[in-house]
Amino acid sequence: VAVTDGVDPVRTAQQLAHGAGHDYEPGSPHLKHAGLHSWLVGELRNALGGLGAVDGHEPEVLEIGGGHGTFTQTLLGAGARVTVTEMSRFSADRLRERFAAEDRVRVVYDPDGNCSPVEPVDAVLYLSVLHHIPDYVDAVRRSIALVRTGGAVVTFQDPLWYPRQTRFARCADRGSYLAWRLGQGNMRRGLSTAMRRLRGVYDPGEPSDMAEYHVVRDGVDEMALQRILEDQFDSVRVIPYWSSQAGWAQWLGERLFPANTFGIVALGRKRA
Ligand SMILES: C[S@@+](CC[C@H](N)C(=O)[O-])C[C@H]1O[C@@H](n2cnc3c(N)ncnc32)[C@H](O)[C@@H]1O
């Protein structure tokens, strides 16, 4: 699907990478591996469990980059009202279709990715989204401002900051990714992309360089996020874990490899 709005290469890349008919599951360890998925759902339920309990209102959650709504459904199941944003027009349309009959879901097509039309909420969630946002630290900083006193920010499924990982951890991560890629049948393109990345060459016209922005650069700096969240929340937990697209690598990595992915659960937003 060719969608070039000619404005912002990241926006264009998100729409190309998440166009009509896109299937999120094959490239998403947290969607496709049952064990990882149910662990993550449990973490989300725990994080949201106490919200809204003080005055008994339904927790209001802002889910950034909801994709096709897998976790929107989880949030509904946990009793939340959800505003879900999408930078891809196609995915926003799918979300609208999927939740048309659900008055607890509001879908916002957010081509600029700045969630400006949103009111204060009890929690902001980013599930496999921060690594798509060039200035993710600023995005998190701005979303903290939307969270009510006592509320939460939760992020999962982003690559740990590469420079802090051991050589073994990087090799395990890259090796399992390349082996998975081999099975996808487009190894030649993958290798030429890998060569450009080794040379630090990024092309704004190349969707693979722009869509998975920090997967192809240096990962996501979990400690930078931890620092800004610690200023604003009573408790901040960084949760490193292993994830890989291939089922065999997920099984092996959970037992043998160091973490390559992280989540953060920040609870108890301090009074502004
Ligand atoms: C890997 S998918 C994750 C989808 C979903 N959260 C999940 O875990 O299944 C990332 C999604 O974030 C969207 N996205 C990227 N940057 C965004 C932004 N700044 N605001 C809203 N959506 C964004 C993309 O269009 C894409 O659908």
Side-chain angles (χ1 to χ4, degrees):
V1 185
V3 185
T4 44
D5 59 21
V7 183
D8 174 359
V10 173
R11 179 201 307 178
T12 305
Q14 297 307 331
Q15 300 221 94
L16 276 169
H18 309 103
H22 175 70
D23 183 357
Y24 283 88
E25 200 174 299
S28 300
H30 68 304
L31 299 181
K32 71 197 284 195
H33 304 315
L36 181 57
H37 183 77
S38 60
W39 168 75
L40 207 159
V41 166
E43 288 284 347
L44 278 184
R45 291 214 174 106
N46 286 342
L48 301 178
L51 301 177
V54 178
D55 59 5
H57 72 271
E58 288 169 319
E60 288 167 352
V61 178
L62 169 62
E63 183 191 7
I64 310 280
H68 288 168
T70 305
F71 293 99
T72 315
Q73 192 65 55
T74 304
L75 296 169
L76 285 177
R81 300 188 80 83
V82 189
T83 297
V84 53
T85 76
E86 247 308 325
M87 204 173 188
S88 156
R89 177 161 55 83
F90 303 99
S91 296
D93 288 347
R94 269 288 280 278
L95 287 166
R96 286 204 181 97
E97 254 169 55
R98 178 169 179 177
F99 297 107
E102 181 50 77
D103 66 3
R104 288 185 296 146
V105 176
R106 181 162 75 108
V107 177
V108 177
Y109 168 48
D110 185 10
D112 301 321
N114 58 17
C115 47
S116 52
V118 173
E119 304 297 316
V121 288
D122 296 297
V124 178
L125 298 189
Y126 293 89
L127 296 170
S128 193
V129 174
L130 286 179
H131 60 265
H132 292 272
I133 304 178
D135 194 346
Y136 56 84
V137 174
D138 184 59
V140 169
R141 211 189 293 278
R142 283 186 290 112
S143 63
I144 292 171
L146 295 170
V147 177
R148 295 186 181 116
T149 304
V153 169
V154 178
T155 81
F156 273 95
Q157 201 60 31
D158 290 297
L160 283 163
W161 182 237
Y162 300 165
R164 266 193 296 272
Q165 291 182 43
T166 62
R167 185 181 289 267
F168 174 57
R170 291 299 306 136
C171 285
D173 178 78
R174 287 299 77 198
S176 62
Y177 177 76
L178 281 174
W180 175 73
R181 258 276 174 247
L182 257 176
Q184 305 299 297
N186 49 2
M187 196 59 186
R188 195 154 159 226
R189 186 165 183 270
L191 280 176
S192 81
T193 308
M195 289 310 291
R196 284 189 300 105
R197 283 178 193 152
L198 277 173
R199 295 183 357 253
V201 175
Y202 301 104
D203 177 357
E206 181 64 59
S208 62
D209 286 2
M210 303 309 280
E212 301 270 329
Y213 202 88
H214 293 284
V215 173
V216 303
R217 289 174 177 77
D218 263 345
V220 171
D221 188 344
E222 70 283 2
M223 285 175 74
L225 294 173
Q226 181 178 18
R227 276 193 297 276
I228 63 166
L229 288 161
E230 274 173 353
D231 268 358
Q232 307 284 345
F233 289 83
D234 291 335
S235 117
V236 176
R237 196 162 50 105
V238 177
I239 307 165
Y241 60 96
W242 168 263
S243 79
S244 172
Q245 282 87 351
W248 63 266
Q250 185 60 29
W251 187 91
L252 202 64
E254 280 174 10
R255 286 154 183 81
L256 292 179
F257 298 156
N260 58 357
T261 310
F262 74 96
I264 302 186
V265 175
L267 299 176
R269 166 89 159 98
K270 295 174 185 167
R271 199 173 291 278

